[in-house]
Amino acid sequence: EVKIMDHMKEAMKAKDTVALEALRAIKSAIILAKTETGAADGLTEADEIKMLQRLVKMRKDSAEIFTTQNRPDLAEPELAQIAVIEQFLPAQLTEAEVEAIVAKIITETGAAGIAAMGKVMGLASAQIGGQAEGKVISGIVKKLLV
């Protein structure tokens, strides 16, 4: 949270409205998450990563809609905010790296068929953490289990 405040100050000085808007969204989400859980000691790192991923996903969805509606003027700020938010996320794994992790989990557990998807997804999500989107992980799990 202190890191966010420092970045907000820098964005204000630079008059970077896009970055400032993204940072304010992060700060609001942190405050909201703290009040929802009643967490006096703050959020865990995993909670923060999930929250940031949710903010990125919302903006990606919006940008996609604006792009399909031929509104690049509305899509661009969404994409710019994604770049700002992603600075606070751990480095993302490539699809090949995710596939290697999922394949190893399937081999180790002996999982077979789509019925084992929940088990593999749980293990993969725990191991990969915030380093890949759930959508990417589930796509790879489906591909390897079928």
Side-chain angles (χ1 to χ4, degrees), residues 75-114:
E76 279 179 33
E78 298 290 333
L79 296 171
Q81 284 189 32
I82 289 169
V84 173
I85 297 167
E86 284 180 338
Q87 293 173 19
F88 300 97
L89 283 170
Q92 299 295 290
L93 298 173
T94 65
E95 285 196 29
E97 291 169 321
V98 173
E99 193 166 328
I101 292 168
V102 170
K104 185 178 176 212
I105 290 169
I106 290 171
T107 305
E108 288 174 355
T109 60
I114 203 74

Side-chain angles (χ1 to χ4, degrees), residues 58-71:
M58 287 167 43
R59 279 155 184 77
K60 279 184 180 175
D61 292 347
S62 296
E64 200 174 297
I65 290 167
F66 292 141
T67 303
T68 58
Q69 293 175 345
N70 200 21
R71 292 295 308 265

Side-chain angles (χ1 to χ4, degrees), residues 16-38:
D16 186 345
T17 56
V18 172
L20 194 55
E21 195 174 328
L23 293 165
R24 282 185 175 142
I26 294 171
K27 187 170 187 265
S28 297
I30 290 171
I31 292 168
L32 187 65
K34 281 184 178 178
T35 56
E36 279 178 359
T37 59

